[in-house]
Structures are given as structure tokens and as C-alpha cells.
Amino acid sequence: MWSAAAPGWERHARFVERREATVSDLLLASLRPGTTVLELGCGPGGLGLAAAERVGPSGSVVLSDVVHDMLAVAERAVAERGLPQVSTRLLDLEDLDLPDRSVDVVLCREALMLVPEPSRAAAEMARVLRPGGHAAVSVWGPRPDNPWIAVLLDAVGDAVGMEVPPPGIPGPFSLDDADRLAALFRGDGFADVQVRAVATPWEGPSFDEWWNVVPALAGPVGTMLAGLPPETAEAIRAACEQELVRYESATGLEVPGLTLVATARR
Ligand SMILES: C[S@@+](CC[C@H](N)C(=O)[O-])C[C@H]1O[C@@H](n2cnc3c(N)ncnc32)[C@H](O)[C@@H]1O
């Protein structure tokens, strides 16, 4: 499912970085020159590349993702930037093929909520971090606070007659509770666990732009949408437009979004 989304993430990588700027600043705050960084679920790798600028040539950054096509997008970005301190690895968040205590900082932006067992992933982060190291993770907050994507999930769900994502299947809102997110890290021996809610609105010039960008980034739901008959997809588009009209702003469209940013010390 995420493989099919790789071209969309490559196409819209710059937009993603602009939109995530505040979240990224919080995630990268503990980085110093010389730090060893592991990014998990990196997608096109924008966060890890920003990390590489901060840790400099005396540090190192591994960009990792479990999806080969996503990692290929990150590899192209690394080659374009020519940063020798960055490398890439195919890694599953829940089963990191890395030695114990081998990195200073683990970063993960909008990916931890997608795994079936996030507690296993948190335990893996704890295992690979050196004592005194940090994990910095972000996930989407509650569905009602994220109409920028919930509107699409609702419209697709209504059209196909089922909840999207289906109950029990990991999706954007699987870790939307700040207390649960904090408990995940505390349970795995992290200290100084903090969770902050950060406004991350979707801003763009028009509904047409929203329709151009959001389904292309939406992973599994974008794949579902692409497989529907054109008339069903058109009805979904119309339903989204009807919902989003309320978020029209002086400059186009500003649809609310909310991200939870968790930081924790090992
Ligand atoms: C919503 S995208 C976020 C991409 C990137 N972190 C960003 O913020 O630009 C989620 C990413 O998580 C990856 N992913 C999903 N499940 C994963 C897993 N079990 N292990 C590692 N990566 C995973 C997907 O391939 C995708 O690249």
C-alpha cells in the first residue's frame, strides 16, 4: 500500500517539509554536531536530511523505511544533496536489524501509528539507543482534530460502505491519545517523556490543490480510491469539496490538523 504512495510522496516532498516545519523543529531540537541519528519510516527522507545538516560531517544519519520504493525516493534525495554522512537502510520499525546501544537519537515522523504493535517498536527504539540518547516521534492527533485527512477517509468510507481504516487496522489515528503515547515510552524504560500537541493545518491555494495532494499522500486510502470506478471517485471528490468549503480562507484553504510530538530520554 505504501509502495503505491511512493511517487506521490516524491512529488509532494517539498510541500510535506513546509507543512511539517514546526513539528520537525521540535523533533530535531536535541541534535548536536557529531550525533548518530536513525530515522525510522523515513518516506522521502526530508526529516533525516534536515537532521544531517544539524549533525554535520562529524555525525551520521541513517534513513530507513520498510518499503523499498519509499527508500528509493529517499536514496534519490540523498544523492541529490550529496551529504556523505547520510546512508539508507531497509528496516522494519518493529524489528530493527541493528546492534543494541548503537545510536544517539531515533527520529520517527508520522509512521509509528502505522505498525500493528507500537509497543514493540518503542522497545526496539529503547534497545538501539545509547544511555542518555533520545527518541523523538510524532503521530497524528485525534480524528476530529484532523479534518484535512479525516474528510477523505469519511468520504471513501461512505462510498464503499465500511469504516476507513477498518476497525483494528493501524491507521493515521491509532496513537491519537497523548497519555497512551506517553505510556508507550514510559513502559519501555524511557525517562523525561513529554508529549506536546502542535497545530499542523493543511494550507493551500484551493480545494483542487487539496485533491491533488492529499489522496496522493494518503497511503492505503489513496490506493483504495485509485481502484474505484471513476464515477465513485468523482462522488467522493464532490463529498470532500462540500465538507471542506467551510475551511476557505482569504488565501485559499486552511484545514485544521493536529500532531502529537513525543520526546523521551533513554
Ligand atoms: C505517512 S508516511 C511518513 C513519511 C515520513 N516519515 C515523513 O514524515 O515525511 C509513513 C511512512 O512509514 C513507512 N512505514 C510503514 N510501516 C512501516 C514499518 N513497519 N517500518 C518502517 N516504516 C514503515 C511507510 O513506508 C511510509 O514511508
Side-chain angles (χ1 to χ4, degrees):
M1 290 284 192
W2 284 100
S3 206
W9 278 82
E10 184 159 31
R11 209 163 52 245
H12 300 299
R14 283 205 183 134
F15 168 83
V16 169
E17 288 320 304
R18 276 200 308 277
R19 175 163 188 216
E20 297 277 351
T22 311
V23 169
S24 301
D25 277 348
L26 291 170
L27 294 175
L28 300 176
S30 73
L31 296 189
R32 302 284 173 266
T35 306
T36 305
V37 179
L38 169 67
E39 185 187 6
L40 301 171
C42 70
L47 180 68
L49 290 169
E53 306 276 355
R54 298 203 185 197
V55 304
S58 60
S60 67
V61 178
V62 175
L63 305 181
S64 74
D65 202 289
V66 79
V67 174
H68 184 272
D69 288 343
M70 278 289 190
L71 202 61
V73 175
E75 275 160 8
R76 286 194 282 280
V78 172
E80 240 172 61
R81 298 278 281 273
L83 293 164
Q85 68 271 40
V86 185
S87 58
T88 58
R89 285 275 309 261
L90 207 61
L91 290 177
D92 184 341
L93 264 154
E94 290 181 288
D95 185 11
L96 301 176
D97 180 17
L98 291 174
D100 297 356
R101 302 175 171 213
S102 53
V103 300
D104 299 318
V105 173
V106 172
L107 302 174
C108 185
R109 193 178 71 185
E110 330 302 8
L112 181 59
M113 69 282 180
L114 301 174
V115 305
E117 285 185 60
S119 59
R120 222 175 122 181
E124 280 294 81
M125 291 182 196
R127 182 181 66 75
V128 300
L129 276 169
R130 295 194 181 105
H134 285 86
V137 172
S138 69
V139 294
W140 294 108
R143 190 167 179 143
D145 295 322
N146 282 290
W148 73 276
I149 178 131
V151 159
L152 177 66
L153 301 178
D154 291 346
V156 173
D158 288 348
V160 300
M162 62 182 257
E163 213 177 304
V164 176
I169 300 294
F173 310 118
S174 307
L175 283 176
D176 65 353
D177 181 80
D179 292 338
R180 187 175 161 227
L181 183 61
L184 200 63
F185 289 96
R186 283 199 194 101
D188 267 304
F190 284 95
D192 298 339
V193 181
Q194 286 186 24
V195 178
R196 273 169 280 201
V198 181
T200 39
W202 187 94
E203 292 170 293
S206 62
F207 169 76
D208 286 346
E209 183 62 6
W210 179 89
W211 182 252
N212 177 36
V213 173
V214 174
L217 297 177
V221 77
T223 308
M224 271 177 90
L225 183 61
L228 293 172
E231 60 278 11
T232 309
E234 192 42 51
I236 290 168
R237 184 186 194 282
C240 291
E241 187 165 18
Q242 200 179 347
E243 280 301 310
L244 292 175
V245 75
R246 76 186 70 174
Y247 301 115
E248 277 176 359
S249 68
T251 54
L253 203 61
E254 183 173 336
V255 193
L258 191 79
T259 299
L260 301 178
V261 178
T263 52
R265 185 171 53 80
R266 185 71 180 111

